[in-house]
PDB file of all heavy atoms in Angstrom:
ATOM      1  N   VAL A 713      49.289 -44.305  -6.294  1.00  0.00           N
ATOM      2  CA  VAL A 713      48.240 -43.809  -5.390  1.00  0.00           C
ATOM      3  C   VAL A 713      47.128 -43.084  -6.163  1.00  0.00           C
ATOM      4  O   VAL A 713      47.394 -42.259  -7.034  1.00  0.00           O
ATOM      5  CB  VAL A 713      48.832 -42.858  -4.330  1.00  0.00           C
ATOM      6  CG1 VAL A 713      47.729 -42.182  -3.512  1.00  0.00           C
ATOM      7  CG2 VAL A 713      49.775 -43.613  -3.400  1.00  0.00           C
ATOM      8  N   GLN A 714      45.897 -43.427  -5.828  1.00  0.00           N
ATOM      9  CA  GLN A 714      44.713 -42.736  -6.353  1.00  0.00           C
ATOM     10  C   GLN A 714      43.913 -42.224  -5.153  1.00  0.00           C
ATOM     11  O   GLN A 714      43.458 -43.017  -4.329  1.00  0.00           O
ATOM     12  CB  GLN A 714      43.847 -43.696  -7.182  1.00  0.00           C
ATOM     13  CG  GLN A 714      44.526 -44.245  -8.418  1.00  0.00           C
ATOM     14  CD  GLN A 714      44.385 -43.320  -9.627  1.00  0.00           C
ATOM     15  OE1 GLN A 714      43.469 -42.518  -9.707  1.00  0.00           O
ATOM     16  NE2 GLN A 714      45.321 -43.431 -10.563  1.00  0.00           N
ATOM     17  N   LEU A 715      43.749 -40.905  -5.052  1.00  0.00           N
ATOM     18  CA  LEU A 715      43.029 -40.324  -3.921  1.00  0.00           C
ATOM     19  C   LEU A 715      41.597 -39.963  -4.324  1.00  0.00           C
ATOM     20  O   LEU A 715      41.382 -39.360  -5.377  1.00  0.00           O
ATOM     21  CB  LEU A 715      43.747 -39.065  -3.417  1.00  0.00           C
ATOM     22  CG  LEU A 715      45.145 -39.256  -2.831  1.00  0.00           C
ATOM     23  CD1 LEU A 715      45.720 -37.911  -2.418  1.00  0.00           C
ATOM     24  CD2 LEU A 715      45.121 -40.214  -1.650  1.00  0.00           C
ATOM     25  N   PRO A 716      40.620 -40.324  -3.487  1.00  0.00           N
ATOM     26  CA  PRO A 716      39.232 -39.971  -3.812  1.00  0.00           C
ATOM     27  C   PRO A 716      39.003 -38.461  -3.699  1.00  0.00           C
ATOM     28  O   PRO A 716      39.733 -37.766  -2.987  1.00  0.00           O
ATOM     29  CB  PRO A 716      38.426 -40.732  -2.756  1.00  0.00           C
ATOM     30  CG  PRO A 716      39.371 -40.920  -1.616  1.00  0.00           C
ATOM     31  CD  PRO A 716      40.730 -41.075  -2.225  1.00  0.00           C
ATOM     32  N   LEU A 717      37.996 -37.977  -4.386  1.00  0.00           N
ATOM     33  CA  LEU A 717      37.655 -36.560  -4.322  1.00  0.00           C
ATOM     34  C   LEU A 717      37.015 -36.263  -2.964  1.00  0.00           C
ATOM     35  O   LEU A 717      36.072 -36.943  -2.556  1.00  0.00           O
ATOM     36  CB  LEU A 717      36.681 -36.199  -5.444  1.00  0.00           C
ATOM     37  CG  LEU A 717      36.217 -34.740  -5.497  1.00  0.00           C
ATOM     38  CD1 LEU A 717      37.384 -33.821  -5.855  1.00  0.00           C
ATOM     39  CD2 LEU A 717      35.084 -34.561  -6.498  1.00  0.00           C
ATOM     40  N   VAL A 718      37.533 -35.266  -2.266  1.00  0.00           N
ATOM     41  CA  VAL A 718      37.006 -34.886  -0.953  1.00  0.00           C
ATOM     42  C   VAL A 718      36.580 -33.429  -0.985  1.00  0.00           C
ATOM     43  O   VAL A 718      37.333 -32.561  -1.417  1.00  0.00           O
ATOM     44  CB  VAL A 718      38.051 -35.101   0.167  1.00  0.00           C
ATOM     45  CG1 VAL A 718      37.473 -34.679   1.523  1.00  0.00           C
ATOM     46  CG2 VAL A 718      38.500 -36.548   0.219  1.00  0.00           C
ATOM     47  N   THR A 719      35.375 -33.170  -0.540  1.00  0.00           N
ATOM     48  CA  THR A 719      34.872 -31.795  -0.439  1.00  0.00           C
ATOM     49  C   THR A 719      34.315 -31.573   0.962  1.00  0.00           C
ATOM     50  O   THR A 719      34.003 -32.533   1.684  1.00  0.00           O
ATOM     51  CB  THR A 719      33.765 -31.533  -1.474  1.00  0.00           C
ATOM     52  OG1 THR A 719      32.745 -32.539  -1.329  1.00  0.00           O
ATOM     53  CG2 THR A 719      34.308 -31.570  -2.889  1.00  0.00           C
ATOM     54  N   ILE A 720      34.191 -30.325   1.340  1.00  0.00           N
ATOM     55  CA  ILE A 720      33.611 -29.993   2.635  1.00  0.00           C
ATOM     56  C   ILE A 720      32.237 -29.365   2.415  1.00  0.00           C
ATOM     57  O   ILE A 720      32.103 -28.378   1.683  1.00  0.00           O
ATOM     58  CB  ILE A 720      34.527 -29.044   3.430  1.00  0.00           C
ATOM     59  CG1 ILE A 720      35.816 -29.787   3.814  1.00  0.00           C
ATOM     60  CG2 ILE A 720      33.826 -28.523   4.679  1.00  0.00           C
ATOM     61  CD1 ILE A 720      36.781 -28.997   4.651  1.00  0.00           C
ATOM     62  N   ASN A 721      31.234 -29.963   3.010  1.00  0.00           N
ATOM     63  CA  ASN A 721      29.865 -29.459   2.916  1.00  0.00           C
ATOM     64  C   ASN A 721      29.764 -28.139   3.674  1.00  0.00           C
ATOM     65  O   ASN A 721      30.012 -28.088   4.882  1.00  0.00           O
ATOM     66  CB  ASN A 721      28.889 -30.494   3.495  1.00  0.00           C
ATOM     67  CG  ASN A 721      27.439 -30.126   3.243  1.00  0.00           C
ATOM     68  OD1 ASN A 721      27.009 -29.016   3.519  1.00  0.00           O
ATOM     69  ND2 ASN A 721      26.672 -31.094   2.729  1.00  0.00           N
ATOM     70  N   GLU A 722      29.415 -27.076   2.961  1.00  0.00           N
ATOM     71  CA  GLU A 722      29.390 -25.749   3.582  1.00  0.00           C
ATOM     72  C   GLU A 722      28.305 -25.623   4.653  1.00  0.00           C
ATOM     73  O   GLU A 722      28.459 -24.862   5.607  1.00  0.00           O
ATOM     74  CB  GLU A 722      29.180 -24.673   2.504  1.00  0.00           C
ATOM     75  CG  GLU A 722      30.360 -24.540   1.547  1.00  0.00           C
ATOM     76  CD  GLU A 722      30.156 -23.439   0.527  1.00  0.00           C
ATOM     77  OE1 GLU A 722      29.138 -22.720   0.623  1.00  0.00           O
ATOM     78  OE2 GLU A 722      31.017 -23.295  -0.364  1.00  0.00           O
ATOM     79  N   GLU A 723      27.241 -26.379   4.513  1.00  0.00           N
ATOM     80  CA  GLU A 723      26.155 -26.288   5.490  1.00  0.00           C
ATOM     81  C   GLU A 723      26.490 -27.007   6.792  1.00  0.00           C
ATOM     82  O   GLU A 723      26.280 -26.478   7.884  1.00  0.00           O
ATOM     83  CB  GLU A 723      24.868 -26.876   4.894  1.00  0.00           C
ATOM     84  CG  GLU A 723      24.311 -26.056   3.739  1.00  0.00           C
ATOM     85  CD  GLU A 723      23.043 -26.670   3.174  1.00  0.00           C
ATOM     86  OE1 GLU A 723      22.520 -27.636   3.783  1.00  0.00           O
ATOM     87  OE2 GLU A 723      22.567 -26.172   2.135  1.00  0.00           O
ATOM     88  N   THR A 724      27.018 -28.224   6.668  1.00  0.00           N
ATOM     89  CA  THR A 724      27.303 -29.022   7.871  1.00  0.00           C
ATOM     90  C   THR A 724      28.746 -28.865   8.363  1.00  0.00           C
ATOM     91  O   THR A 724      29.046 -29.131   9.523  1.00  0.00           O
ATOM     92  CB  THR A 724      27.044 -30.514   7.597  1.00  0.00           C
ATOM     93  OG1 THR A 724      27.945 -30.966   6.564  1.00  0.00           O
ATOM     94  CG2 THR A 724      25.605 -30.751   7.139  1.00  0.00           C
ATOM     95  N   GLY A 725      29.642 -28.454   7.438  1.00  0.00           N
ATOM     96  CA  GLY A 725      31.055 -28.343   7.809  1.00  0.00           C
ATOM     97  C   GLY A 725      31.768 -29.675   7.834  1.00  0.00           C
ATOM     98  O   GLY A 725      32.931 -29.768   8.238  1.00  0.00           O
ATOM     99  N   LEU A 726      31.066 -30.735   7.401  1.00  0.00           N
ATOM    100  CA  LEU A 726      31.651 -32.080   7.409  1.00  0.00           C
ATOM    101  C   LEU A 726      32.250 -32.412   6.047  1.00  0.00           C
ATOM    102  O   LEU A 726      31.819 -31.890   5.013  1.00  0.00           O
ATOM    103  CB  LEU A 726      30.583 -33.115   7.766  1.00  0.00           C
ATOM    104  CG  LEU A 726      29.929 -32.962   9.154  1.00  0.00           C
ATOM    105  CD1 LEU A 726      28.792 -33.961   9.301  1.00  0.00           C
ATOM    106  CD2 LEU A 726      30.962 -33.143  10.258  1.00  0.00           C
ATOM    107  N   SER A 727      33.240 -33.304   6.058  1.00  0.00           N
ATOM    108  CA  SER A 727      33.870 -33.714   4.797  1.00  0.00           C
ATOM    109  C   SER A 727      33.043 -34.795   4.121  1.00  0.00           C
ATOM    110  O   SER A 727      32.444 -35.652   4.782  1.00  0.00           O
ATOM    111  CB  SER A 727      35.287 -34.232   5.055  1.00  0.00           C
ATOM    112  OG  SER A 727      35.260 -35.338   5.945  1.00  0.00           O
ATOM    113  N   GLU A 728      33.010 -34.743   2.783  1.00  0.00           N
ATOM    114  CA  GLU A 728      32.298 -35.742   1.998  1.00  0.00           C
ATOM    115  C   GLU A 728      33.282 -36.371   1.014  1.00  0.00           C
ATOM    116  O   GLU A 728      33.960 -35.665   0.264  1.00  0.00           O
ATOM    117  CB  GLU A 728      31.134 -35.092   1.247  1.00  0.00           C
ATOM    118  CG  GLU A 728      30.071 -34.518   2.177  1.00  0.00           C
ATOM    119  CD  GLU A 728      28.942 -33.823   1.425  1.00  0.00           C
ATOM    120  OE1 GLU A 728      29.064 -33.665   0.181  1.00  0.00           O
ATOM    121  OE2 GLU A 728      27.942 -33.431   2.069  1.00  0.00           O
ATOM    122  N   VAL A 729      33.348 -37.698   1.056  1.00  0.00           N
ATOM    123  CA  VAL A 729      34.317 -38.437   0.233  1.00  0.00           C
ATOM    124  C   VAL A 729      33.600 -39.135  -0.917  1.00  0.00           C
ATOM    125  O   VAL A 729      32.649 -39.889  -0.708  1.00  0.00           O
ATOM    126  CB  VAL A 729      35.077 -39.484   1.085  1.00  0.00           C
ATOM    127  CG1 VAL A 729      36.094 -40.228   0.226  1.00  0.00           C
ATOM    128  CG2 VAL A 729      35.766 -38.817   2.271  1.00  0.00           C
ATOM    129  N   ASN A 730      34.066 -38.855  -2.137  1.00  0.00           N
ATOM    130  CA  ASN A 730      33.500 -39.486  -3.334  1.00  0.00           C
ATOM    131  C   ASN A 730      34.474 -40.558  -3.820  1.00  0.00           C
ATOM    132  O   ASN A 730      35.453 -40.278  -4.513  1.00  0.00           O
ATOM    133  CB  ASN A 730      33.274 -38.432  -4.421  1.00  0.00           C
ATOM    134  CG  ASN A 730      32.605 -39.016  -5.657  1.00  0.00           C
ATOM    135  OD1 ASN A 730      32.442 -40.235  -5.774  1.00  0.00           O
ATOM    136  ND2 ASN A 730      32.215 -38.158  -6.581  1.00  0.00           N
ATOM    137  N   LEU A 731      34.176 -41.815  -3.460  1.00  0.00           N
ATOM    138  CA  LEU A 731      35.082 -42.918  -3.801  1.00  0.00           C
ATOM    139  C   LEU A 731      35.039 -43.277  -5.281  1.00  0.00           C
ATOM    140  O   LEU A 731      35.919 -43.979  -5.781  1.00  0.00           O
ATOM    141  CB  LEU A 731      34.743 -44.147  -2.953  1.00  0.00           C
ATOM    142  CG  LEU A 731      34.996 -44.017  -1.444  1.00  0.00           C
ATOM    143  CD1 LEU A 731      34.462 -45.233  -0.705  1.00  0.00           C
ATOM    144  CD2 LEU A 731      36.481 -43.826  -1.157  1.00  0.00           C
ATOM    145  N   LYS A 732      34.002 -42.806  -5.976  1.00  0.00           N
ATOM    146  CA  LYS A 732      33.882 -43.125  -7.398  1.00  0.00           C
ATOM    147  C   LYS A 732      34.760 -42.224  -8.262  1.00  0.00           C
ATOM    148  O   LYS A 732      35.063 -42.553  -9.412  1.00  0.00           O
ATOM    149  CB  LYS A 732      32.418 -43.000  -7.836  1.00  0.00           C
ATOM    150  CG  LYS A 732      31.515 -44.068  -7.223  1.00  0.00           C
ATOM    151  CD  LYS A 732      30.089 -43.925  -7.715  1.00  0.00           C
ATOM    152  CE  LYS A 732      29.201 -45.007  -7.107  1.00  0.00           C
ATOM    153  NZ  LYS A 732      27.788 -44.868  -7.543  1.00  0.00           N
ATOM    154  N   GLN A 733      35.152 -41.085  -7.715  1.00  0.00           N
ATOM    155  CA  GLN A 733      35.996 -40.152  -8.474  1.00  0.00           C
ATOM    156  C   GLN A 733      37.355 -40.042  -7.800  1.00  0.00           C
ATOM    157  O   GLN A 733      37.489 -39.433  -6.742  1.00  0.00           O
ATOM    158  CB  GLN A 733      35.329 -38.770  -8.552  1.00  0.00           C
ATOM    159  CG  GLN A 733      36.051 -37.817  -9.503  1.00  0.00           C
ATOM    160  CD  GLN A 733      35.290 -36.516  -9.687  1.00  0.00           C
ATOM    161  OE1 GLN A 733      34.131 -36.409  -9.342  1.00  0.00           O
ATOM    162  NE2 GLN A 733      35.978 -35.516 -10.243  1.00  0.00           N
ATOM    163  N   LYS A 734      38.349 -40.665  -8.405  1.00  0.00           N
ATOM    164  CA  LYS A 734      39.691 -40.666  -7.824  1.00  0.00           C
ATOM    165  C   LYS A 734      40.689 -40.014  -8.777  1.00  0.00           C
ATOM    166  O   LYS A 734      40.551 -40.112  -9.998  1.00  0.00           O
ATOM    167  CB  LYS A 734      40.134 -42.099  -7.501  1.00  0.00           C
ATOM    168  CG  LYS A 734      39.325 -42.744  -6.382  1.00  0.00           C
ATOM    169  CD  LYS A 734      39.943 -44.069  -5.968  1.00  0.00           C
ATOM    170  CE  LYS A 734      39.216 -44.658  -4.769  1.00  0.00           C
ATOM    171  NZ  LYS A 734      39.871 -45.899  -4.272  1.00  0.00           N
ATOM    172  N   ASN A 735      41.674 -39.383  -8.185  1.00  0.00           N
ATOM    173  CA  ASN A 735      42.727 -38.734  -8.971  1.00  0.00           C
ATOM    174  C   ASN A 735      44.095 -39.185  -8.498  1.00  0.00           C
ATOM    175  O   ASN A 735      44.295 -39.418  -7.302  1.00  0.00           O
ATOM    176  CB  ASN A 735      42.622 -37.206  -8.836  1.00  0.00           C
ATOM    177  CG  ASN A 735      41.325 -36.667  -9.406  1.00  0.00           C
ATOM    178  OD1 ASN A 735      41.009 -36.912 -10.556  1.00  0.00           O
ATOM    179  ND2 ASN A 735      40.559 -35.955  -8.588  1.00  0.00           N
ATOM    180  N   PRO A 736      45.043 -39.312  -9.428  1.00  0.00           N
ATOM    181  CA  PRO A 736      46.402 -39.695  -9.016  1.00  0.00           C
ATOM    182  C   PRO A 736      47.096 -38.564  -8.249  1.00  0.00           C
ATOM    183  O   PRO A 736      46.710 -37.399  -8.367  1.00  0.00           O
ATOM    184  CB  PRO A 736      47.117 -39.964 -10.349  1.00  0.00           C
ATOM    185  CG  PRO A 736      46.353 -39.156 -11.352  1.00  0.00           C
ATOM    186  CD  PRO A 736      44.935 -39.138 -10.886  1.00  0.00           C
ATOM    187  N   LEU A 737      48.070 -38.939  -7.452  1.00  0.00           N
ATOM    188  CA  LEU A 737      48.886 -37.941  -6.757  1.00  0.00           C
ATOM    189  C   LEU A 737      49.657 -37.101  -7.766  1.00  0.00           C
ATOM    190  O   LEU A 737      50.017 -37.589  -8.844  1.00  0.00           O
ATOM    191  CB  LEU A 737      49.919 -38.639  -5.867  1.00  0.00           C
ATOM    192  CG  LEU A 737      49.573 -38.905  -4.401  1.00  0.00           C
ATOM    193  CD1 LEU A 737      50.745 -39.644  -3.769  1.00  0.00           C
ATOM    194  CD2 LEU A 737      49.280 -37.641  -3.640  1.00  0.00           C
ATOM    195  N   ILE A 738      49.915 -35.868  -7.426  1.00  0.00           N
ATOM    196  CA  ILE A 738      50.748 -35.016  -8.283  1.00  0.00           C
ATOM    197  C   ILE A 738      52.206 -35.250  -7.893  1.00  0.00           C
ATOM    198  O   ILE A 738      52.654 -34.818  -6.828  1.00  0.00           O
ATOM    199  CB  ILE A 738      50.380 -33.527  -8.125  1.00  0.00           C
ATOM    200  CG1 ILE A 738      48.915 -33.297  -8.493  1.00  0.00           C
ATOM    201  CG2 ILE A 738      51.287 -32.663  -9.000  1.00  0.00           C
ATOM    202  CD1 ILE A 738      48.410 -31.902  -8.182  1.00  0.00           C
ATOM    203  N   ILE A 739      52.923 -35.995  -8.722  1.00  0.00           N
ATOM    204  CA  ILE A 739      54.351 -36.248  -8.486  1.00  0.00           C
ATOM    205  C   ILE A 739      55.133 -35.217  -9.287  1.00  0.00           C
ATOM    206  O   ILE A 739      55.166 -35.271 -10.517  1.00  0.00           O
ATOM    207  CB  ILE A 739      54.760 -37.679  -8.923  1.00  0.00           C
ATOM    208  CG1 ILE A 739      53.818 -38.722  -8.318  1.00  0.00           C
ATOM    209  CG2 ILE A 739      56.209 -37.955  -8.545  1.00  0.00           C
ATOM    210  CD1 ILE A 739      53.917 -38.906  -6.846  1.00  0.00           C
ATOM    211  N   ARG A 740      55.764 -34.278  -8.610  1.00  0.00           N
ATOM    212  CA  ARG A 740      56.432 -33.173  -9.304  1.00  0.00           C
ATOM    213  C   ARG A 740      57.871 -33.519  -9.716  1.00  0.00           C
ATOM    214  O   ARG A 740      58.376 -33.016 -10.713  1.00  0.00           O
ATOM    215  CB  ARG A 740      56.420 -31.920  -8.426  1.00  0.00           C
ATOM    216  CG  ARG A 740      54.987 -31.421  -8.173  1.00  0.00           C
ATOM    217  CD  ARG A 740      54.965 -30.087  -7.482  1.00  0.00           C
ATOM    218  NE  ARG A 740      53.599 -29.620  -7.278  1.00  0.00           N
ATOM    219  CZ  ARG A 740      52.917 -28.901  -8.161  1.00  0.00           C
ATOM    220  NH1 ARG A 740      53.463 -28.581  -9.313  1.00  0.00           N
ATOM    221  NH2 ARG A 740      51.686 -28.501  -7.879  1.00  0.00           N
ATOM    222  N   LYS A 741      58.526 -34.359  -8.936  1.00  0.00           N
ATOM    223  CA  LYS A 741      59.889 -34.791  -9.266  1.00  0.00           C
ATOM    224  C   LYS A 741      60.002 -36.290  -9.026  1.00  0.00           C
ATOM    225  O   LYS A 741      59.251 -36.864  -8.239  1.00  0.00           O
ATOM    226  CB  LYS A 741      60.929 -34.052  -8.406  1.00  0.00           C
ATOM    227  CG  LYS A 741      60.981 -32.541  -8.632  1.00  0.00           C
ATOM    228  CD  LYS A 741      61.505 -32.212 -10.019  1.00  0.00           C
ATOM    229  CE  LYS A 741      61.518 -30.704 -10.254  1.00  0.00           C
ATOM    230  NZ  LYS A 741      61.942 -30.363 -11.611  1.00  0.00           N
ATOM    231  N   HIS A 742      60.958 -36.919  -9.719  1.00  0.00           N
ATOM    232  CA  HIS A 742      61.143 -38.363  -9.602  1.00  0.00           C
ATOM    233  C   HIS A 742      62.568 -38.665  -9.107  1.00  0.00           C
ATOM    234  O   HIS A 742      63.453 -38.940  -9.915  1.00  0.00           O
ATOM    235  CB  HIS A 742      60.898 -39.042 -10.954  1.00  0.00           C
ATOM    236  CG  HIS A 742      59.503 -38.889 -11.461  1.00  0.00           C
ATOM    237  ND1 HIS A 742      59.032 -37.712 -12.001  1.00  0.00           N
ATOM    238  CD2 HIS A 742      58.461 -39.770 -11.488  1.00  0.00           C
ATOM    239  CE1 HIS A 742      57.765 -37.868 -12.349  1.00  0.00           C
ATOM    240  NE2 HIS A 742      57.392 -39.097 -12.053  1.00  0.00           N
ATOM    241  N   PRO A 743      62.792 -38.594  -7.793  1.00  0.00           N
ATOM    242  CA  PRO A 743      64.134 -38.858  -7.273  1.00  0.00           C
ATOM    243  C   PRO A 743      64.501 -40.341  -7.360  1.00  0.00           C
ATOM    244  O   PRO A 743      63.658 -41.214  -7.147  1.00  0.00           O
ATOM    245  CB  PRO A 743      64.043 -38.408  -5.812  1.00  0.00           C
ATOM    246  CG  PRO A 743      62.602 -38.574  -5.461  1.00  0.00           C
ATOM    247  CD  PRO A 743      61.837 -38.262  -6.716  1.00  0.00           C
ATOM    248  N   VAL A 744      65.746 -40.597  -7.705  1.00  0.00           N
ATOM    249  CA  VAL A 744      66.282 -41.963  -7.747  1.00  0.00           C
ATOM    250  C   VAL A 744      67.622 -41.965  -7.023  1.00  0.00           C
ATOM    251  O   VAL A 744      68.458 -41.082  -7.249  1.00  0.00           O
ATOM    252  CB  VAL A 744      66.454 -42.451  -9.205  1.00  0.00           C
ATOM    253  CG1 VAL A 744      67.219 -43.771  -9.245  1.00  0.00           C
ATOM    254  CG2 VAL A 744      65.098 -42.607  -9.886  1.00  0.00           C
ATOM    255  N   ALA A 745      67.814 -42.957  -6.147  1.00  0.00           N
ATOM    256  CA  ALA A 745      69.059 -43.062  -5.383  1.00  0.00           C
ATOM    257  C   ALA A 745      70.013 -44.048  -6.049  1.00  0.00           C
ATOM    258  O   ALA A 745      69.589 -45.065  -6.594  1.00  0.00           O
ATOM    259  CB  ALA A 745      68.762 -43.518  -3.948  1.00  0.00           C
ATOM    260  N   THR A 746      71.305 -43.705  -6.005  1.00  0.00           N
ATOM    261  CA  THR A 746      72.352 -44.591  -6.531  1.00  0.00           C
ATOM    262  C   THR A 746      73.454 -44.678  -5.485  1.00  0.00           C
ATOM    263  O   THR A 746      74.049 -43.664  -5.123  1.00  0.00           O
ATOM    264  CB  THR A 746      72.934 -44.049  -7.850  1.00  0.00           C
ATOM    265  OG1 THR A 746      71.864 -43.825  -8.776  1.00  0.00           O
ATOM    266  CG2 THR A 746      73.922 -45.030  -8.458  1.00  0.00           C
ATOM    267  N   SER A 747      73.713 -45.882  -4.990  1.00  0.00           N
ATOM    268  CA  SER A 747      74.681 -46.060  -3.910  1.00  0.00           C
ATOM    269  C   SER A 747      75.981 -46.695  -4.395  1.00  0.00           C
ATOM    270  O   SER A 747      75.985 -47.524  -5.306  1.00  0.00           O
ATOM    271  CB  SER A 747      74.079 -46.913  -2.791  1.00  0.00           C
ATOM    272  OG  SER A 747      73.016 -46.229  -2.163  1.00  0.00           O
ATOM    273  N   PHE A 748      77.064 -46.288  -3.732  1.00  0.00           N
ATOM    274  CA  PHE A 748      78.403 -46.782  -4.055  1.00  0.00           C
ATOM    275  C   PHE A 748      79.097 -47.223  -2.773  1.00  0.00           C
ATOM    276  O   PHE A 748      78.892 -46.629  -1.710  1.00  0.00           O
ATOM    277  CB  PHE A 748      79.256 -45.672  -4.691  1.00  0.00           C
ATOM    278  CG  PHE A 748      78.666 -45.058  -5.932  1.00  0.00           C
ATOM    279  CD1 PHE A 748      77.700 -44.060  -5.836  1.00  0.00           C
ATOM    280  CD2 PHE A 748      79.083 -45.462  -7.191  1.00  0.00           C
ATOM    281  CE1 PHE A 748      77.153 -43.480  -6.974  1.00  0.00           C
ATOM    282  CE2 PHE A 748      78.536 -44.891  -8.338  1.00  0.00           C
ATOM    283  CZ  PHE A 748      77.567 -43.902  -8.226  1.00  0.00           C
ATOM    284  N   ALA A 749      79.930 -48.255  -2.882  1.00  0.00           N
ATOM    285  CA  ALA A 749      80.807 -48.649  -1.778  1.00  0.00           C
ATOM    286  C   ALA A 749      82.232 -48.272  -2.165  1.00  0.00           C
ATOM    287  O   ALA A 749      82.611 -48.352  -3.335  1.00  0.00           O
ATOM    288  CB  ALA A 749      80.705 -50.145  -1.520  1.00  0.00           C
ATOM    289  N   ILE A 750      82.986 -47.821  -1.170  1.00  0.00           N
ATOM    290  CA  ILE A 750      84.366 -47.401  -1.407  1.00  0.00           C
ATOM    291  C   ILE A 750      85.300 -48.463  -0.822  1.00  0.00           C
ATOM    292  O   ILE A 750      85.205 -48.801   0.363  1.00  0.00           O
ATOM    293  CB  ILE A 750      84.645 -46.036  -0.729  1.00  0.00           C
ATOM    294  CG1 ILE A 750      83.582 -45.011  -1.138  1.00  0.00           C
ATOM    295  CG2 ILE A 750      86.044 -45.536  -1.085  1.00  0.00           C
ATOM    296  CD1 ILE A 750      83.520 -43.801  -0.214  1.00  0.00           C
ATOM    297  N   PHE A 751      86.174 -49.010  -1.664  1.00  0.00           N
ATOM    298  CA  PHE A 751      87.130 -50.013  -1.209  1.00  0.00           C
ATOM    299  C   PHE A 751      88.536 -49.410  -1.148  1.00  0.00           C
ATOM    300  O   PHE A 751      88.963 -48.727  -2.091  1.00  0.00           O
ATOM    301  CB  PHE A 751      87.129 -51.227  -2.144  1.00  0.00           C
ATOM    302  CG  PHE A 751      86.154 -52.291  -1.732  1.00  0.00           C
ATOM    303  CD1 PHE A 751      84.808 -52.190  -2.079  1.00  0.00           C
ATOM    304  CD2 PHE A 751      86.554 -53.376  -0.974  1.00  0.00           C
ATOM    305  CE1 PHE A 751      83.901 -53.154  -1.701  1.00  0.00           C
ATOM    306  CE2 PHE A 751      85.652 -54.359  -0.589  1.00  0.00           C
ATOM    307  CZ  PHE A 751      84.325 -54.246  -0.951  1.00  0.00           C
ATOM    308  N   ASP A 752      89.232 -49.682  -0.047  1.00  0.00           N
ATOM    309  CA  ASP A 752      90.623 -49.221   0.129  1.00  0.00           C
ATOM    310  C   ASP A 752      90.759 -47.719  -0.152  1.00  0.00           C
ATOM    311  O   ASP A 752      91.764 -47.270  -0.723  1.00  0.00           O
ATOM    312  CB  ASP A 752      91.576 -50.022  -0.776  1.00  0.00           C
ATOM    313  CG  ASP A 752      91.618 -51.491  -0.368  1.00  0.00           C
ATOM    314  OD1 ASP A 752      91.427 -51.771   0.829  1.00  0.00           O
ATOM    315  OD2 ASP A 752      91.820 -52.344  -1.239  1.00  0.00           O
ATOM    316  N   ASP A 753      89.740 -46.960   0.224  1.00  0.00           N
ATOM    317  CA  ASP A 753      89.744 -45.487   0.154  1.00  0.00           C
ATOM    318  C   ASP A 753      89.710 -44.913  -1.265  1.00  0.00           C
ATOM    319  O   ASP A 753      89.613 -43.702  -1.433  1.00  0.00           O
ATOM    320  CB  ASP A 753      90.958 -44.898   0.897  1.00  0.00           C
ATOM    321  CG  ASP A 753      90.955 -45.263   2.364  1.00  0.00           C
ATOM    322  OD1 ASP A 753      89.854 -45.456   2.919  1.00  0.00           O
ATOM    323  OD2 ASP A 753      92.037 -45.363   2.962  1.00  0.00           O
TER     324      ASP A 753
END
């Protein structure tokens, strides 16, 4: 994911999106799942 830079115009109070300047999401942890099946208990 790359998110565009978003700012709020102080005069109008509206959001302004800059599609030319994008930043990746901040992923703080990398969870991975591992599944097991149990046979005959």
